[in-house]
Amino acid sequence: MPAKSTQAPLPPWGSALAGATGAVLANAIVYPLDIVKTRLQVQVKRKSTDAAPLTTNDAHYKSSIDAMRKILVDEGVTGLYSGINGSLIGVASTNFAYFYWYSVVRSLYLSSQTAPQSPGTAVELWLGAVAGAVAQVFTIPVSVVTTRQQTQLKGDKRGLLDTGREVIHSDDGWSGLWRGLKASLVLVINPAITYGVYQRQREMLFPGKVNLRPWESFVLGAASKALATIMTQPLIVAKVGLQSRPPPARQGKPFKNFVEVMSYIVEHEGLLALFKGLAPQIMKGILVQGLLMMTKERMEILFVVLFAYLRKIRDTKLQQAANRATARTKAVLPVVAK
């Protein structure tokens, strides 16, 4: 029977900060893959009978490697990092909110149980979905702006704030910053599946183990993310279509919902096109999730050590203050007695 750990649990904000830090580092490393998968997902194959281009970009990408090569030729290395500032802000805020609310709802659930036991798979998925939904409501505007930045043409590159103003001044107005919210709320099943599967795999493969090795966290995170991505890819493609500029063939008319985006894609490219960009999406997801969970585990250990050190300093100062107060009291007592 594994020994119980005496390691103090992190508060929700500590777990959130660890998760956000890991997510920012992981996404910064693999950001070019994010650009490639977004460009692949917004393009629509053009037929000879089409009167106008069906995509927001003149270049047509045949594969991930072809997309990366053409972006480098047309836009340079900076083209692979278009919108990175907004993306990392979005990643930090989304993951902080997710891990914070996940820690909160999970702690509330565990405290409500009469007998202490680990949540089952269904409960883990539900907890993850609740946390993801709350996080999306507050952070989706950054996602909308970032998607617009990633699909802007070479001569029409704009900063984070300018792109945000463009969205606000469109027909949607301020509500345009929440385009794709319904799809995003449905997509909370992606992180819910990811973290639910991760927790179950961890409990089955490493029962009672408090801190995993980096490679163990990486493998579990990568496997759980790959499964979640395959299951939700059509919704991911539809969400990108909702948040990017409408194709020229629609004459500026934006999509109303993700069902309309999916119907448009199937009509022009077929059913399998709902899985376009799957390779870079999975590759990015595996690397990000693996690095995120590996980094988050390390960051949590660092935060636990840091909090323990701060508590020790606080206790020492309190003890010193108490000793000084006692000494002063003893010095005053003889005078009072006289």
Side-chain angles (χ1 to χ4, degrees):
M1 187 168 134
K4 290 183 179 179
S5 171
T6 57
Q7 177 174 293
L10 280 174
W13 69 266
S15 179
L17 187 58
T21 303
V24 168
L25 291 174
N27 278 275
I29 291 171
V30 302
Y31 189 76
L33 281 174
D34 196 32
I35 288 285
V36 169
K37 69 92 181 171
T38 301
R39 296 283 182 92
L40 286 171
Q41 288 170 351
V42 297
Q43 76 173 7
V44 181
K45 292 180 181 178
R46 186 177 181 181
K47 300 176 183 177
S48 57
T49 56
D50 292 326
L54 299 175
T55 182
T56 57
N57 202 313
D58 293 334
H60 181 78
Y61 310 119
K62 298 177 182 178
S63 63
S64 301
I65 296 176
D66 181 55
M68 191 167 290
R69 182 181 62 81
K70 287 181 177 177
I71 293 172
L72 282 171
V73 171
D74 296 339
E75 305 173 40
V77 176
T78 56
L80 293 173
Y81 292 89
S82 296
I84 188 171
N85 293 334
S87 177
L88 294 184
I89 291 173
V91 165
S93 57
T94 300
N95 281 273
F96 185 91
Y98 178 85
F99 281 109
Y100 178 84
W101 289 109
Y102 182 77
S103 298
V104 169
V105 296
R106 199 171 194 271
S107 297
L108 289 174
Y109 172 81
L110 292 175
S111 62
S112 67
Q113 300 300 298
T114 53
Q117 58 180 359
S118 298
T121 303
V123 174
E124 288 284 8
L125 293 176
W126 178 80
L127 295 176
V130 171
V134 175
Q136 282 297 325
V137 171
F138 291 101
T139 60
I140 194 172
V142 181
S143 174
V144 172
V145 173
T146 300
T147 301
R148 288 290 182 93
Q149 284 188 293
Q150 290 178 338
T151 55
Q152 286 169 347
L153 300 176
K154 181 180 179 181
D156 192 29
K157 298 290 184 183
R158 302 183 185 184
L160 184 67
L161 294 179
D162 288 337
T163 305
R165 291 190 192 99
E166 178 194 355
V167 175
I168 294 171
H169 293 155
S170 66
D171 294 339
D172 291 331
W174 283 92
S175 64
L177 292 173
W178 277 267
R179 281 191 67 81
L181 178 59
K182 291 180 181 178
S184 296
L185 291 178
V186 175
L187 276 171
V188 298
I189 61 175
N190 186 297
I193 293 171
T194 300
Y195 294 108
V197 172
Y198 179 89
Q199 289 290 345
R200 294 301 294 168
Q201 285 181 327
R202 178 173 179 169
E203 291 167 5
M204 289 189 296
L205 299 177
F206 307 103
K209 192 170 184 178
V210 177
N211 297 315
L212 301 182
R213 295 188 180 95
W215 70 266
E216 293 170 340
S217 299
F218 184 93
V219 171
L220 290 185
S224 58
K225 188 61 178 182
L227 176 62
T229 300
I230 292 172
M231 294 177 66
T232 59
Q233 182 66 8
L235 281 173
I236 293 173
V237 173
K239 177 188 171 185
V240 171
L242 272 173
Q243 294 179 341
S244 62
R245 289 179 179 175
R250 290 180 60 86
Q251 299 177 345
K253 182 182 178 183
F255 294 106
K256 295 179 181 178
N257 50 58
F258 63 89
V259 175
E260 187 177 7
V261 178
M262 294 170 75
S263 300
Y264 183 86
I265 292 172
V266 171
E267 178 186 351
H268 290 89
E269 298 183 87
L271 191 62
L272 290 179
L274 292 175
F275 292 88
K276 59 185 175 180
L278 181 62
Q281 183 82 46
I282 288 181
M283 190 181 302
K284 179 211 167 190
I286 286 176
L287 291 174
V288 166
Q289 199 63 36
L291 291 170
L292 189 157
M293 299 312 296
M294 180 174 67
T295 309
K296 181 175 180 288
E297 293 277 349
R298 301 303 100 188
M299 291 300 297
E300 285 184 343
I301 294 174
L302 289 176
F303 281 132
V304 167
V305 173
L306 176 62
F307 291 159
Y309 176 70
L310 293 176
R311 279 194 295 269
K312 183 179 179 181
I313 292 177
R314 182 195 62 187
D315 293 342
T316 301
K317 288 184 176 180
L318 287 174
Q319 185 61 47
Q320 290 174 347
N323 292 339
R324 286 195 296 270
T326 301
R328 283 196 297 269
T329 302
K330 288 180 178 180
V332 171
L333 282 177
V335 176
V336 173
K338 291 178 183 180

